[in-house]
Amino acid sequence: MKQRARRFRNVHAILTLAAGLVILVSVALGGLGWRLLQQEEALQQQRARDALEGKANILQTQFFSKMGEAETLLRGLGSSLPPGAGDSFGKGAIVVAMKTGVETQPPGQLMYLPFVPSSRPLDAALFDESQKLEFQSRDFSAASAALAALADRQGQVRAEALFRLARVHKKNGRIKEALATYANLKDERTLSPALEEPYGLVSRLQRAELLKESGQVADAQAEAAALIDSLNAGQWAINKGTHHYYFRLALDLAGHPPETSAPAERLVVAETVGALWDEWRQFARSGSQSLTKQLHSSGPIPVLTLVNANPERLVAVIYPGQALRNWIPDPGPGEDAAGIRVDLVASDGRSLTGTPREERPALRVVRTLSPASLPWQLDVTSAVDGASRIFASERRNYLVFALAGIVLMVALACYAMARGVLREAAAGRLQSDFVSAVSHEFRSPLTTLRQLTELLAEGRIVEEGRRRQYFSVLQKETSRLHQLVEDLLDFGRMEAGRRQYRPEALDLATVVRDTVQQYSNEAAANGHSIDVAPQPGPLVVEADREALQRVVRNLLENAVKYSPEARTVWVETEREGRFAVLRVRDQGIGIPDAEKKRIFEKFVRGDAAKRAAIPGTGIGLAMVHEIVRVHHGEVGLTSEVGSGSTFTVRLPLSRAPGAAEVQEPQAVHGSFR
Ligand code: ADP
């Protein structure tokens, strides 16, 4: 019992160990796999980052070389700009040239100028007469006539005459004529020597005010709006102060809210040109021969200006606001550029081109532009981080599958190992049971032998009858021992595959009858009788006589051994198709279903047999099975616990010609005691 408990504990320990091993291996492999996956992802990311860094370096170089190209282009420009000079600098770029005045390409970009060219002097004597008529004699009609005559002339005289004529008309109450005359002047760019402002600009304001005074409000507003447009379009050669002055008045007349401002980008350009002018003045004073530099501003409308100047002229290219996009290098169409975005950003990361910033890109690399004396950066982002989600999940799946496979294999290996160990343990247990059973089998006849030989040797048995009886016991025990040794030797030979069979044509019924006859005395001594059913015809089989006898004897011995209560054992032989059949039936203890298959294995003994201490070694049925198998037959068993068992042996009938006549059929019948 103790041994059994220990064995159970061992088995339990083995199973726990195997399960632990499976879990350990799974956890270790899982952890390792996961780490590998993460390392792989990190590696991919590092590779993608390196690639993006390389790309950013190329883009940075492109930026600098583009800057060099622009500077070379500027250097090649003279003080007068050919039409389309701005085109080679990219979309939205404004080229400025300064000499005595300021010129831009495309033209009309400046709302005001850093300086205003002075007006040409006017021959004042021409207007003496009209002036007298207007101011001294206040004869407006005569003044009008005098001025109308002058208005037929050209250029500045005409402009001055018309301007004065409009004023005289107004004084004369001839509003319509005054308005028409102002309208005549609306595009006149010549500067009035008295005002140092263009006639057209002043006339427009005068006209708008006159319209308002005469109650034509809508027309006044339209005129003021047109004036604002012309101011915004940079139509007039005026300075900043004049621009702002007229702008405010026009806003008021147009009925616009006072906080309305001129277009920001144009303002920035005008301001930049003002700054350029100052720069050039300073440079001219410094006595230097050439100037190449850039100006920049990161304000709400950022600007980049490249300047090239010498004492004779200054040329510059201005990139205001959106025009800065020209400076964003193109990442190219290649596969390595897929998902890459480039932008120009201020040092605080704000986009200078107004592009919404990629807040959480997969990868971001920044390149400074300080070598070009710019406080800006190139912001290079990639939407792909190298370890794409699809690849990652695919790899994860592979890993899970591979792990599941490995764990399954380890589990199977552990199962096989545990099974092997358990089997080994069971085999060991069977062997030790066998050894003790064999020892036990030997001990009882040997004890009897020793005691009887002692008695006889010492001459203590004098009576002849008793001596003969003792000798017969000695003989019986010796033959039992002999039988046992024979059994074991035969079993050993079978196990080693050295048992030789000498098949011959035998009548199964005869062999059965002979064996029953040999064994009947032993059975009778045990109180059992063997009932053999008559066999009508010969059952010739090709078999080894000794082996066949062993089969019959083993089955008979078992039937007797395992029928302690019922005293009869039945034996019958018959023909079933091409088979000779032997049946040995008893009404003994029976065999439970769970043991029916196993009892044919070597060393296996039934539980009931062991419990009832019925002697045996567990090799009898194994030998029966082996012998029948070698003879191409089969053994069957039907049994019920408590009701008895029937062992059936089927052997193929011999097909040799004349086999039926080998032996005379002899009906075996009767009981042997
Ligand atoms: P042994 O009889 O020496 O134990 P065997 O190989 O002849 O070995 O039989 C194996 C087991 O089969 C026996 O221990 C017994 O439990 C069972 N057995 C064999 N024949 C019978 C039978 N006729 N009735 C009941 N049990 C049997």
Side-chain angles (χ1 to χ4, degrees), residues 575-626:
R575 185 192 178 112
E576 261 182 29
R578 291 186 294 107
F579 288 94
V581 178
L582 158 70
R583 266 191 208 92
V584 180
R585 183 163 67 86
D586 62 60
Q587 289 180 336
I589 59 175
I591 301 162
D593 286 345
E595 290 180 355
K596 276 181 183 159
K597 226 177 140 189
R598 290 201 60 228
I599 53 168
F600 290 98
E601 291 171 21
K602 61 185 178 185
F603 310 140
V604 175
R605 303 207 64 217
D607 277 347
K610 284 191 268 185
R611 264 200 314 275
I614 300 171
T617 54
I619 58 172
L621 284 182
M623 288 165 85
V624 168
H625 188 264
E626 174 63 10

Side-chain angles (χ1 to χ4, degrees), residues 44-118:
Q44 296 265 354
Q45 267 177 3
Q46 188 54 44
R47 269 196 214 126
R49 172 159 285 280
D50 289 349
L52 197 66
E53 297 263 1
K55 191 88 202 167
N57 289 343
I58 294 171
L59 294 171
Q60 190 188 27
T61 312
Q62 277 177 7
F63 184 94
F64 296 143
S65 67
K66 191 170 174 175
M67 206 146 184
E69 281 166 25
E71 279 166 3
T72 311
L73 270 176
L74 268 188
R75 231 173 282 133
L77 285 177
S79 61
S80 89
L81 301 174
D87 296 351
S88 39
F89 289 93
K91 199 173 159 222
I94 299 165
V95 184
V96 185
M98 291 176 183
K99 194 176 164 93
T100 47
V102 180
E103 194 191 336
T104 66
Q105 257 323 319
Q109 299 295 319
L110 301 176
M111 291 199 297
Y112 51 83
L113 298 172
F115 64 91
V116 181
S118 41

